[in-house]
Amino acid sequence: MKFEKTPGWLDWYAGPSKPRFKLPPGSVDAHCHVFGPGEQFPFAPERKYTPCDASKEQLFALRDHLGFDKNVIVQATCHGADNRALIDALKSSNDKARGVVTVKRSVNDNELQEMNAAGVRGVRFNFVKRLVDFTPKDELMEIAARIAPLGWHVVIYFEAVDLPELWDFFTALPTTVVVDHMGRPDVTKPVDGPEFELFLKFMREHANVWSKVSCPERLSVSGPPALNGEQNAYRDVVPFARKVVETFPDRVLWGTDWPHPNLKNHMPDDGLLVDFIPHIATTPELQKKLLVDNPTRLYWGA
Ligand SMILES: O=C(O)c1cc(C(=O)O)oc(=O)c1
């Protein structure tokens, strides 16, 4: 099937620079996606956007170019609960990729077992209203109970303003819980203000909660963007991500978020995005935990 991209869609950055920051051996890009290709793996009818293609080959080429060893591929909402593109990527990764899927209540145990064998280790629950239609919480809780015995975890994506309303649901989840993009803080508010403090409290009081300190390119308001050799990109996000890394060094993950769906004003150079890492994980010890030890433990069980 031929797909028309959403008007104004920004394609991923071709020809990214080589990062100056040398990733430690065994580093994992713990949040990235594949899109289609649409002709082979059609986008879901219920999707809220139609992206450009971003294939497994292109993702693996980026991994090698940037110096990552492995990927965690997260089901993107444009594929709904049809995980075929993701599973196909996992199967051709030579054990160098794990996956996080989206499933419906109707998924059966055989299907879950097959996904597990392919390298799936989690399900994603999405509460960002511009991306998905509402799914009742009892349905999500039923899915969480079904995947818990497999040792899988739940990835949650939500906006900071919605955390109070979602708190009881999140804290009742029976698995490890991984928050996408720090729960999307409003970085124009103070890092020690009540909104971000609630997020820190969520992590402090619940030892099963982890966070991806990813997506400065999405959260940043004043930049500057990771373009044209910028070595101090997204300065306004640094205090937030650094606070999470330093407070919870054993429960943080980092990912490129390639191919960066739904960005509106620029598309980052992924090489320069990697150069953001030493600003938020400032010592070799913190960098190794963030990039190697934590994701390897969670996704490869080591
Ligand atoms: O903020 C977003 O637009 C976004 C979308 C998706 C997705 O469509 O799955 O995933 C992300 O990690 C971020």
Side-chain angles (χ1 to χ4, degrees):
M1 212 194 297
K2 269 253 174 262
F3 288 94
E4 277 286 303
K5 289 185 276 188
T6 296
W9 186 265
L10 296 182
D11 292 359
W12 45 272
Y13 191 96
S17 54
K18 269 272 184 221
R20 282 203 209 161
F21 174 59
K22 207 173 163 333
L23 291 161
S27 286
V28 180
D29 176 354
H31 185 97
C32 50
H33 310 284
V34 285
F35 296 155
E39 298 243 355
Q40 192 183 357
F41 301 110
F43 301 113
E46 72 274 21
R47 70 191 180 280
K48 305 292 184 208
Y49 62 87
T50 306
C52 62
D53 287 333
S55 71
K56 63 183 178 187
E57 291 86 359
Q58 289 161 332
L59 175 65
F60 298 153
L62 180 74
R63 172 198 69 197
D64 295 344
H65 173 79
L66 297 177
F68 284 100
D69 185 46
K70 301 189 188 78
N71 296 108
V72 178
I73 309 175
V74 176
Q75 176 72 353
T77 57
C78 56
H79 279 295
D82 176 349
N83 299 287
R84 281 176 297 172
L86 185 151
I87 300 288
D88 174 70
L90 297 185
K91 286 185 173 165
S92 37
S93 75
N94 205 11
D95 206 37
K96 285 188 172 289
R98 292 286 186 260
V100 174
V101 292
T102 296
V103 295
K104 298 201 173 123
R105 171 187 248 160
S106 55
V107 69
N108 68 44
D109 286 336
N110 260 348
E111 290 167 327
L112 290 176
Q113 284 296 351
E114 274 177 31
M115 288 191 236
N116 190 62
V120 173
R121 295 294 179 267
V123 291
R124 191 180 199 203
F125 296 164
N126 203 317
F127 302 89
V128 177
K129 296 175 187 85
R130 71 184 156 83
L131 293 173
V132 285
D133 298 322
F134 175 78
T135 307
K137 298 211 180 64
D138 63 328
E139 184 166 340
L140 297 176
M141 202 48 94
E142 188 182 315
I143 292 167
R146 298 262 309 284
I147 59 102
L150 293 164
W152 291 12
H153 58 269
V154 174
V155 171
I156 53 178
Y157 191 25
F158 61 93
E159 310 261 3
V161 288
D162 296 323
L163 181 56
E165 189 260 315
L166 292 163
W167 182 277
D168 290 346
F169 173 72
F170 289 164
T171 57
L173 287 167
T175 60
T176 292
V177 173
V178 180
V179 178
D180 276 341
H181 321 324
M182 297 187 286
R184 292 193 63 104
D186 177 347
V187 301
T188 65
K189 293 183 178 164
V191 66
D192 55 0
E195 188 184 88
F196 201 57
E197 174 48 32
L198 188 71
F199 179 69
L200 296 172
K201 178 176 146 126
F202 179 42
M203 290 196 73
R204 202 184 307 122
E205 292 184 355
H206 303 280
N208 63 322
V209 177
W210 293 43
S211 178
K212 294 178 196 165
V213 288
S214 44
C215 274
E217 75 284 10
R218 258 177 219 298
L219 301 173
S220 180
V221 175
S222 56
L227 287 171
N228 306 317
E230 179 59 60
Q231 283 292 311
N232 280 294
Y234 312 123
R235 250 165 266 170
D236 51 342
V237 183
V238 168
F240 292 82
R242 196 168 159 179
K243 177 88 185 169
V244 178
V245 170
E246 291 179 356
T247 314
F248 309 104
D250 298 309
R251 291 189 266 147
V252 284
L253 302 169
W254 195 86
T256 55
D257 191 39
W258 188 90
H260 312 283
N262 301 310
L263 290 184
K264 297 283 181 251
N265 61 9
H266 76 287
M267 182 53 62
D269 171 340
D270 294 281
L272 297 172
L273 205 49
V274 168
D275 288 336
F276 176 78
I277 298 172
H279 294 279
I280 64 166
T282 52
T283 66
E285 290 73 27
L286 289 171
Q287 290 160 5
K288 182 162 175 290
K289 282 173 187 259
L290 175 67
L291 297 161
V292 185
D293 300 347
N294 298 342
T296 306
R297 194 164 80 249
L298 188 61
Y299 287 96
W300 279 266

